[in-house]
């Protein structure tokens, strides 16, 4: 049974059946507010974790180190590999096995400055800051298995 209602306009007023008007569902392209808060909290948490893990000065050094590595070392050591002597990579295990002094910042700095075998010495070609930065970058990559 159809519902009846009074429909009025400024000119007439009459009673009759009322048909339900189909309404287009409104779909929002915006995420729900709780999702925005969740995403913001996730991003903030990740940023805080990164900042806590790497002090500001060290983060700048790692960025410089990555730049120095990409511009000078990647030709032979791209992705932590070694294109000249394949088993002597920049991965943690290989550095511990083959680098005099093992996996330490001082040993890596010494290797960068003085070279060895086919690796050229970079002292005098890179600044002290660049050598420290690239050594820190290599150490961080190796320790974190990031290659």
């Amino acid at each position: 049974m159809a519902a009846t209602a009074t429909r009025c306009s400024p000119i007439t007023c009459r009673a009759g059946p009322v048909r339900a008007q189909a309404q287009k569902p409104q779909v929002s392209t915006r995420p729900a507010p709780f999702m925005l808060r969740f995403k913001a909290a996730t991003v903030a948490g990740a940023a805080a974790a990164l900042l806590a893990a790497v002090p500001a000065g060290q983060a700048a050094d790692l960025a410089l180190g990555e730049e120095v590595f990409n511009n000078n070392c990647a030709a032979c050591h791209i992705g932590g590999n070694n294109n000249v002597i394949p088993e002597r990579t920049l991965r943690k295990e290989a550095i511990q096995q083959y680098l005099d002094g093992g996996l330490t910042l001082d040993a890596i700095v010494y290797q960068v400055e003085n070279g060895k075998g086919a690796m050229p010495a970079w002292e005098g070609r890179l600044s002290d800051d660049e050598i420290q930065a690239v050594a820190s970058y290599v150490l961080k990559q190796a320790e974190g298995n990031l290659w």
Side-chain angles (χ1 to χ4, degrees):
M1 177 177 227
T4 59
T6 305
R7 292 184 288 179
C8 297
S9 71
I11 301 174
T12 63
C13 193
R14 61 185 179 154
V18 177
R19 291 188 213 159
Q21 296 282 328
Q23 291 185 353
K24 196 179 217 181
Q26 293 194 1
V27 178
S28 174
T29 58
R30 293 179 46 202
F34 74 91
M35 286 303 293
L36 291 174
R37 287 192 299 274
F38 176 74
K39 286 181 181 180
T42 302
V43 169
L50 286 174
L51 290 175
V54 179
Q58 188 178 0
D61 289 348
L62 291 176
L64 174 61
E66 182 177 16
E67 181 182 337
V68 171
F69 183 88
N70 289 335
N71 291 336
N72 299 283
C73 312
C76 295
H77 293 290
I78 191 158
N81 295 310
N82 186 327
N83 295 334
V84 179
I85 306 171
E87 67 274 5
R88 295 192 180 199
T89 67
L90 298 179
R91 289 178 176 75
K92 183 178 182 176
E93 298 77 22
I95 291 175
Q96 289 170 330
Q97 182 177 355
Y98 296 112
L99 184 63
D100 294 336
L103 186 63
T104 66
L105 183 61
D106 289 340
I108 296 170
V109 166
Y110 183 85
Q111 180 79 18
V112 172
E113 287 176 341
N114 299 290
K116 185 175 183 181
M119 182 174 166
W122 290 94
E123 188 171 38
R125 297 167 69 183
L126 296 175
S127 71
D128 290 343
D129 288 344
E130 289 171 323
I131 290 172
Q132 286 292 322
V134 77
S136 295
Y137 174 73
V138 168
L139 180 64
K140 183 81 169 168
Q141 293 290 104
E143 286 180 333
N145 294 318
L146 302 172
W147 294 112

